[in-house]
Amino acid sequence: SQQGEEDPQALSIQEGENATMNCSYKTSINNLQWYRQNSGRGLVHLILIRSNEREKHSGRLRVTLDTSKKSSSLLITASRAADTASYFCATGSILTGGGNKLTFGTGTQLKVEL
Amino acid sequence: SQTIHQWPATLVQPVGSPLSLECTVEGTSNPNLYWYRQAAGRGLQLLFYSVGIGQISSEVPQNLSASRPQDRQFILSSKKLLLSDSGFYLCAWSPKGLGTEAFFGQGTRLTVV
């Protein structure tokens, strides 16, 4: 079953603008991760934020996490055409035997136009 | 460095035929392994995961099965494909430990006709 729901489902912006995507989830988590998927390809990990963290940065990416509201946001600053892709949040819970079970949301399709 | 290989990239199979998709990981040992399915324009659905050789957990009842005959090999199978098995199948691995990221293969586009 889907754990996270991204909002919006689709987003179209101009190059140079910022893109904000939101994710809501339902159950307690150990961590939340964001992934990027180019059309027809595998997913690439972008950033991980743990349940005891509130904000994290990586290059042009900024992620926030509000565990009281069970929500997260991904901000991409100064977007580029190459950022065009689908973005997914994934909540991590502990697997028996060690490791992370990831449950993905439905994704946001971002289109950055020149 | 670690790499993950998944093949084939595309597959067209008739209804009722068997299926075998293979995934192998290099450069690490004792990984957690996962099979996901992605329907067109949708998110990923976890099908199976494995924390060790011969240990398979199924997330959803379905027409598919998984096996892990070796530490770094994960196989997705079906005895008889259904039309509803069409989709994009992704294999992934993650290290043991809390809060780890997953590394994905390039996926297999399966079309059942």
Side-chain angles (χ1 to χ4, degrees), chain A residues 2 30-31 33 35 37 40-43 45 48 50 88 94-102 104-106 109, chain B residues 32 34 36 38 41-46 49 51 59 88 90 94-102 104-106 109:
Chain A
Q2 300 293 339
N30 173 271
N31 62 83
Q33 304 180 31
Y35 287 79
Q37 183 183 34
R41 305 298 297 274
L43 277 74
H45 180 264
L48 180 153
R50 302 187 190 284
F88 295 89
I94 299 170
L95 272 175
T96 302
N100 229 1
K101 172 183 169 182
L102 290 177
F104 284 82
T106 52
Q109 291 186 7
Chain B
N32 288 331
Y34 311 84
Y36 288 87
Q38 185 176 30
R42 301 291 303 278
L44 278 72
Q45 181 184 39
L46 179 62
Y49 65 87
V51 298
E59 285 293 291
F88 191 51
L90 289 154
S94 72
K96 292 289 193 290
L98 299 177
T100 55
E101 66 185 89
F104 283 82
Q106 289 304 300
R109 174 75 58 193

Side-chain angles (χ1 to χ4, degrees), chain B residues 26-98:
Chain B
E26 296 178 355
T28 187
S29 60
N30 195 28
N32 288 331
L33 297 171
Y34 311 84
W35 278 111
Y36 288 87
R37 177 169 59 199
Q38 185 176 30
R42 301 291 303 278
L44 278 72
Q45 181 184 39
L46 179 62
L47 301 176
F48 301 95
Y49 65 87
S50 171
V51 298
I53 296 173
Q55 300 178 62
I56 308 296
S57 296
S58 174
E59 285 293 291
V60 292
Q62 59 201 299
N63 185 42
L64 302 168
S65 62
S67 62
R68 185 172 177 173
Q70 300 180 45
D71 181 45
R72 291 170 289 177
Q73 184 185 28
F74 206 24
I75 298 172
L76 184 69
S77 304
S78 174
K79 292 182 179 177
K80 289 185 179 181
L81 284 169
L82 305 172
L83 287 174
S84 58
D85 292 324
S86 293
F88 191 51
Y89 289 83
L90 289 154
C91 179
W93 76 273
S94 72
K96 292 289 193 290
L98 299 177

Side-chain angles (χ1 to χ4, degrees), chain A residues 22-97:
Chain A
N22 303 296
C23 168
S24 60
Y25 58 92
K26 299 175 183 176
T27 63
S28 296
I29 61 171
N30 173 271
N31 62 83
L32 187 143
Q33 304 180 31
W34 285 89
Y35 287 79
R36 166 195 168 124
Q37 183 183 34
N38 284 30
S39 180
R41 305 298 297 274
L43 277 74
V44 176
H45 180 264
L46 294 176
I47 194 166
L48 180 153
I49 186 166
R50 302 187 190 284
S51 59
N52 61 353
E53 297 176 310
R54 293 295 169 259
E55 188 172 312
K56 202 162 185 179
H57 298 255
S58 177
R60 294 186 294 115
L61 305 179
R62 172 179 171 254
V63 169
T64 63
L65 179 63
D66 187 334
T67 53
S68 66
K69 295 181 179 178
K70 290 185 168 58
S71 66
S72 173
S73 68
L74 171 67
L75 169 67
I76 304 175
T77 60
S79 63
R80 306 165 182 168
D83 293 329
T84 295
S86 292
Y87 292 82
F88 295 89
C89 70
T91 51
S93 55
I94 299 170
L95 272 175
T96 302

